[in-house]
Amino acid sequence: MEMIEEAARKIINMEVRGAAKIARFAAESLLKFAQKIDDDFDVKIKEAADMLLNTRPTAVSLYNAINYVMQYSGRTVEEKREDLIKRALEFINWVDSARREIGKIGVRRIKQSATILTHCNSSAALSIIKEAHEAGKDIEVFATESRPRYQGHITVRELKSEGIPVTLIVDSAVRYFMREMDYVIVGADAITVNGALINKIGTSQIALCANEFKVPFMVAAETYKFSPKTLAGETVVIEERSPREVAPEDLLSAGIRVRNPAFDITPRRYIDLIITEIGAIPPEMAYLVIKERFGFRLPTEEEIIVSPEHYD
Amino acid sequence: MEMIEEAARKIINMEVRGAAKIARFAAESLLKFAQKIDDDFDVKIKEAADMLLNTRPTAVSLYNAINYVMQYSGRTVEEKREDLIKRALEFINWVDSARREIGKIGVRRIKQSATILTHCNSSAALSIIKEAHEAGKDIEVFATESRPRYQGHITVRELKSEGIPVTLIVDSAVRYFMREMDYVIVGADAITVNGALINKIGTSQIALCANEFKVPFMVAAETYKFSPKTLAGETVVIEERSPREVAPEDLLSAGIRVRNPAFDITPRRYIDLIITEIGAIPPEMAYLVIKERFGFRLPTEEEIIVSPEHYD
Amino acid sequence: MEMIEEAARKIINMEVRGAAKIARFAAESLLKFAQKIDDDFDVKIKEAADMLLNTRPTAVSLYNAINYVMQYSGRTVEEKREDLIKRALEFINWVDSARREIGKIGVRRIKQSATILTHCNSSAALSIIKEAHEAGKDIEVFATESRPRYQGHITVRELKSEGIPVTLIVDSAVRYFMREMDYVIVGADAITVNGALINKIGTSQIALCANEFKVPFMVAAETYKFSPKTLAGETVVIEERSPREVAPEDLLSAGIRVRNPAFDITPRRYIDLIITEIGAIPPEMAYLVIKERFGFRLPTEEEIIVSPEHYD
Amino acid sequence: MEMIEEAARKIINMEVRGAAKIARFAAESLLKFAQKIDDDFDVKIKEAADMLLNTRPTAVSLYNAINYVMQYSGRTVEEKREDLIKRALEFINWVDSARREIGKIGVRRIKQSATILTHCNSSAALSIIKEAHEAGKDIEVFATESRPRYQGHITVRELKSEGIPVTLIVDSAVRYFMREMDYVIVGADAITVNGALINKIGTSQIALCANEFKVPFMVAAETYKFSPKTLAGETVVIEERSPREVAPEDLLSAGIRVRNPAFDITPRRYIDLIITEIGAIPPEMAYLVIKERFGFRLPTEEEIIVSPEHYD
Amino acid sequence: MEMIEEAARKIINMEVRGAAKIARFAAESLLKFAQKIDDDFDVKIKEAADMLLNTRPTAVSLYNAINYVMQYSGRTVEEKREDLIKRALEFINWVDSARREIGKIGVRRIKQSATILTHCNSSAALSIIKEAHEAGKDIEVFATESRPRYQGHITVRELKSEGIPVTLIVDSAVRYFMREMDYVIVGADAITVNGALINKIGTSQIALCANEFKVPFMVAAETYKFSPKTLAGETVVIEERSPREVAPEDLLSAGIRVRNPAFDITPRRYIDLIITEIGAIPPEMAYLVIKERFGFRLPTEEEIIVSPEHYD
Amino acid sequence: MEMIEEAARKIINMEVRGAAKIARFAAESLLKFAQKIDDDFDVKIKEAADMLLNTRPTAVSLYNAINYVMQYSGRTVEEKREDLIKRALEFINWVDSARREIGKIGVRRIKQSATILTHCNSSAALSIIKEAHEAGKDIEVFATESRPRYQGHITVRELKSEGIPVTLIVDSAVRYFMREMDYVIVGADAITVNGALINKIGTSQIALCANEFKVPFMVAAETYKFSPKTLAGETVVIEERSPREVAPEDLLSAGIRVRNPAFDITPRRYIDLIITEIGAIPPEMAYLVIKERFGFRLPTEEEIIVSPEHYD
């Protein structure tokens, strides 16, 4: 169990972060832990799963990862272990192959010469952009700095190092440049049953601007980002982070209040297309994706964490 | 057959009314009638079914109830009776459990402290509101009076008796108060294949106002409200009721014309979510619900009553 | 002063009601009172004016009437009286001629065969409809019943007696019939500097529906309905009337709360045209009308009654 | 192979044209060719299929026809031939029955007395209109002339010969008359996975106008018009035709440039309903139709022709 | 009077056409006629004015021209003649200078490198485009062919001869290319008091498309195109021209009906800016322009030709 | 002239900054300089004015200040000086009184308990907020940090020191919180003739979000912010500032491009009200304000700096 405690700590400390990375890491951790269980397999692995789940109770990809792995079966410990390991490896493979596949599907939507806006730092979204560049398309990228944590700085370095011309702008300048964009491509933290996108704070107002000028707004999202619990009415909880990310100490000590939501919600009416590893779909199809990938089962009462302060 | 004639009379007289109640009552009536048939089972039960269907030929829930029960099979009268009874009980159980389940799913969408607007008197919609109140949420309700039959008076009494603070307004005041609402929740008489809602007259302009201020507009609808015939192009017929519901006698005798449609049609673009007993879905998914629940079979020519005067 | 007290009582009791009638009556009352003042003209007439103004402190037409009359000048009592009487007569003439002129201008907007929706009971709006009928146009009218006070009943009788075919509908049925309308024509209680219309509760959702189907929404408004105080930032106060207009006694005594605003606010984006006695104008021109008719002077601090609970 | 070369020539020369006709003709050609193959069945038939496919590489119905027929199986030449012939006949029957079925489903959406706008010359769209006329409905049609090739002239003759009153207008006059239309009904060259319609140039601005006045915009589309490749991210390529269709010789020789796209793209937000032979569905359901009819398989890399210059 | 009859004939025969040219020609004709009147000046000149006005009773610029010239004053024939001639010359100068001034003001709105869409053949609109080209800006133009009379052919020749790159498209292709446009610039036949534009059929759907993609839609309009009569409620009458412009003889003789309105109406909500010779203004300011240029006087009953079949 | 050079330097160095402060300072500088001129008054003062104007050639308030002061008249140096000083003092007084007056007018729009969003640091906007607080209203403020220069930090300190509860958010979080706002109030750098607002980068996407949820968006703008040159077609030039404000040195030296526009343009359709010192007006009235305040004269060719890269 120490091993799991250590893994949990890494997620909590944000040594491991990003929706895809956390999910993959949790599957790996369960796999490794399962290899060491001698008896009481069901009880011990459940305890480990719960511990991991509690590190980021609102992360949809983590929930899906653990849920996928935990649907092992078998009569003996050996059978159970074997099946769990098989499932964990399947999930890990899912993570690894999905992003590649999204790049290959997404690139077909991009015309020969295009200017693309992106927000924050999504590996699935960048996978499309890089694929387009490698395919010899004439791509230029505008990236927002993505306050408060400036993930845009990572994005511009990453693209620049691939030789893609890139321009950094403040988050406030999105509408100013929107008329010149051919596409907006962003990633996803989660997709709900009614096609809403949960993603880095600021995404929804970018989508609104894209809609104003009818610039196609596309989301790159692996299917393990789709939230089966929203089918049961659950709303995705928006994490609120430390004021220190936003304000200098002197402002805080002067009694200035800070609100720092990490994500926001983009309703389906502003999304043109979601590019998943199983195809490019309209957001209204989220329900069907959930059904196909997660078996459509309504989650039980206890599987649901209800904290519905936000809705779109 | 007298028993069925009696049942039909009750529906026509509106002793039994409301989409859910009529559907349940028709299933019960067929069940009871089936218990008494000695011979010519198919012919007699078909005659009974037709008589019931003709009481409210445009009611989708009644059509679905009878259609469900009538898909019995068997070689002997006994086998047929047994299967029909089984199916009738299944349908009755469907009605009873669906509303409860909708309450449980819907409550997860409601935040801790919320003001909700409702229209007319829908038991499925109220089920969500009551569930939220029981869950300790701080709920306040605005209810329209719902002219011409004032079903809003029933609603405010019903909620008040549960201890929920409730405010009555005229139907014209909806837009005036919309800015202060957190949600609109209404019921459904029917849902079409392209996600339109047929419900009490006035619903569509409430949805339009909710959309203007981006207040989430949610529909509580059991899946037996979904209309399989609309898949075949049929439009739902809007019943027009007596002028006497609207105008005093002296106006009518003065030659004033009255138009009194009982329902109107809310197109899918104004609906955020439909809460059914099988999950919370976007309205575009109506087609899939119909397929899953009713087998996707295109109705035959004779099953269709064509009177397409309205469309949205 | 007794005469003025009597006049004030009539306004408070609603013996005299309707924006135009109140304004005209106040001008008349000041005129009659002025005829009897012997000395201290300025003081006494000011006292009378204040008393009248306080009967309906939020009525724009009353404010404009009194303000117009009170801008008399003169050195002696006789001169002042004479000038005040002249101004009062001018205002009374303004009221009488404006409605006729609106009918004449408005009728030119109506095509040869038209179906028109109206709300409540506005003499200026009906003046256009009657003028069109008299001009031999083939006019049909739909009138809302206009809960809670059913002014629609007055409207349908009034039009029927002129031989105009008329249909009564509940307020909730507006969107259902909107597709069949050629115009919506309503009156005004007030027009603000930024072109918003204050009118009978329900008007704004009718305008919203008209806008959805692009049915021209026209307002018939005498220029003394335009509010000069809104130029100084004042918002028009929405009167809230007795719950007894809405709910039966038993509901009230059961603790049901009622909200009963008399008017609502239609923003300029839903108004195609305002028909005044000085021409047909877009709502954005309200500022210019105020300037032309009321001299553009910013009202002083004390002229303004600030109670800005509503805005659009 | 000569026979296939001849067939290919006919498609290239536009002797055979129209999405449905080309598809049917390709299936027939493969059928006939298969009847004559002695050996190397797979190789020879593949060569024939490729030759046909290359005549109009961007036509979705052609791709679907050939793809359907080519999924034959069998161990011997005889088995293969037999299965291919069976599949070709199935496809031909699909084409023939789908249009009839669309007429029967579509007519149920049309009210008793209606004015319908159509564009270009779509047999599926006209099938609904004729069916309505035959059903005794009081139908009137407005048809655009459909520059540059004036297919509207064919449409007005075709409808007139059925006794349907018809009015011809220039393409620019669509918005002028939109207020008087009850429906717009058009055909489809292709439907994409996210519910966009590819159809004759001008269709998308008609849809935009219909949306402005909330006139229902309906598409008549056989399911073999749905593009499975768009699921894999492919965009439908818009053919650009000869400038000579648009400009007289003297303008061209004066150096005037001409752009002459044959189709345009109507996004799902302007489409109310797609009427297919398997039911009337909202455009968001395109994905599900593709899955149900084409097995949902992601096309392979080589099956995809990528030329994504247009997107909506 | 023969001279006036001759002039009237030229307008009727369309030897003289175009809103600006007709207006200028009418002023000239009155000027020449006035030079020859010996006695009964008022009577004779009035007769001449009426004859000219009746040639195109719905043309706003003609009405304004004649109205302007006819406001001469004087006691003797000589004084009257002199004043009329002065006014006629003023009007002629107005026409000549306004277009130049519009070019100079409009060019400032155009960025250094721009693609502009225009419709029909407006000298005021082209004046801006040419001015931009002469100012060394990198201008490219897309011109619609403008069925039924193909005025677009004149436009492309005219621009090409100035060395401006130009592309001809069918009217249906406007939305297809809209995303690539930087501006739409069109002329005006008339501007109404509520800021609506009356212009060549097709203009309003171009404006709708421009609005969809937020491409600035600008109107070049001399102030004598503004209609003072619309202030009095008059609507601008839309001329309907010969079916022969649209359909070949064989279609007409086959009983095909044709509707051929010459103009349509673009409501103010789709117009960003009107460029007049007195400045660049928003369309809502039309009322003020009318007031400033035409004295704001409500036209008398007899000055108004009422034929209000269209409205926007 | 040294004195003027010194003043110009201060503006260039941003020792003096802010639209109001620069304008006031320029008027003061001219005043002081005029006191010292002995001869050649016209020449010398013109030289000084030009030098000041060139410090920020795109600032509308600076242009208006200098233009106002420079309209002095007189025959002798003494008369000219006297008149110039009088005009300079008038302008200084205009600046000082306008903000106070805006506070007094704006406060009337604010309801008793309100949450207000503001952007950047506008003294006119804050004047309304403070006035509301002082008037005893229950005000809470959300302020964006306003990257790249964090003027939001100044705003929150300023409001906090007045005792107003204030919350700081990142610019990306605006849409997330918009539903909870009662008003948005911002300042203005300039207002154009067609009612567009030029203000701090980010303003236009805040306005777009406010419009989505129908939260009133109000602008506080002294009338010397209105641009008379836009009447002549000029567009307001958007200053682009140093990349160093946005990106750290290492990103810049890595070849990352930065775009850093200081302002953006909010079109009139998203603005509910402009609060000026002469009243609260709709944005469409900008033209009239320009006329009333600046005499409506079209600027001459040389007064206009043409650099029209942006437009809305």
Side-chain angles (χ1 to χ4, degrees), chain A residues 91-102:
Chain A
F91 188 84
I92 290 166
N93 181 52
W94 182 358
V95 173
D96 291 344
S97 61
R99 185 175 50 197
R100 282 196 308 274
E101 202 55 42
I102 286 172

Side-chain angles (χ1 to χ4, degrees), chain C residues 231-233 284 291 301 308 311, chain F residues 108-109 214 216 279-280 285 292:
Chain C
L231 181 59
E284 291 84 1
K291 173 194 154 102
E301 207 46 45
Y311 173 84
Chain F
R108 299 189 187 112
R109 305 293 309 185
K214 300 291 174 288
M285 275 301 136
E292 308 246 326

Side-chain angles (χ1 to χ4, degrees), chain E residues 108-109 214 216 279-280 285 292, chain F residues 231-233 284 291 301 308 311:
Chain E
R108 300 189 186 111
R109 306 293 309 187
K214 301 293 174 287
M285 275 301 136
E292 307 247 327
Chain F
L231 181 59
E284 291 83 1
K291 173 195 155 100
E301 209 46 45
Y311 173 84

Side-chain angles (χ1 to χ4, degrees), chain B residues 5-59:
Chain B
E5 279 164 13
E6 174 62 18
R9 206 161 25 239
K10 282 189 177 162
I11 298 174
I12 289 167
N13 298 344
M14 293 190 128
E15 269 176 75
V16 178
R17 50 183 276 220
K21 284 183 194 130
I22 289 171
R24 197 186 188 287
F25 180 69
E28 266 178 355
S29 301
L30 287 177
L31 183 158
K32 286 183 192 155
F33 182 64
Q35 287 172 332
K36 310 214 165 142
I37 300 178
D38 295 325
D39 50 9
D40 283 345
F41 189 88
D42 289 349
V43 171
K44 288 180 175 163
I45 197 80
K46 177 73 169 53
E47 199 182 341
D50 285 353
M51 187 176 294
L52 290 170
L53 201 53
N54 283 329
T55 57
R56 298 285 295 265
T58 65

Side-chain angles (χ1 to χ4, degrees), chain D residues 30-31 33-37 41-42 45 69 71-90:
Chain D
L30 286 178
L31 183 158
F33 182 65
Q35 285 171 332
K36 309 215 166 141
I37 300 178
F41 189 88
D42 290 350
I45 197 80
V69 175
Q71 279 167 33
Y72 66 85
S73 58
R75 275 155 311 167
T76 65
V77 167
E78 258 339 288
E79 278 178 30
K80 287 172 179 175
R81 188 199 324 279
E82 201 178 326
D83 195 42
L84 185 145
I85 289 174
K86 192 177 125 278
R87 295 188 70 83
L89 290 172
E90 280 168 14

Side-chain angles (χ1 to χ4, degrees), chain B residues 231-232 284 291 301 308 311, chain D residues 108-109 214 216 280 285 292:
Chain B
L231 182 59
E284 290 85 0
K291 173 195 155 101
E301 208 46 44
Y311 173 84
Chain D
R108 298 189 187 111
R109 306 292 310 185
K214 300 291 173 288
M285 274 301 136
E292 307 246 327

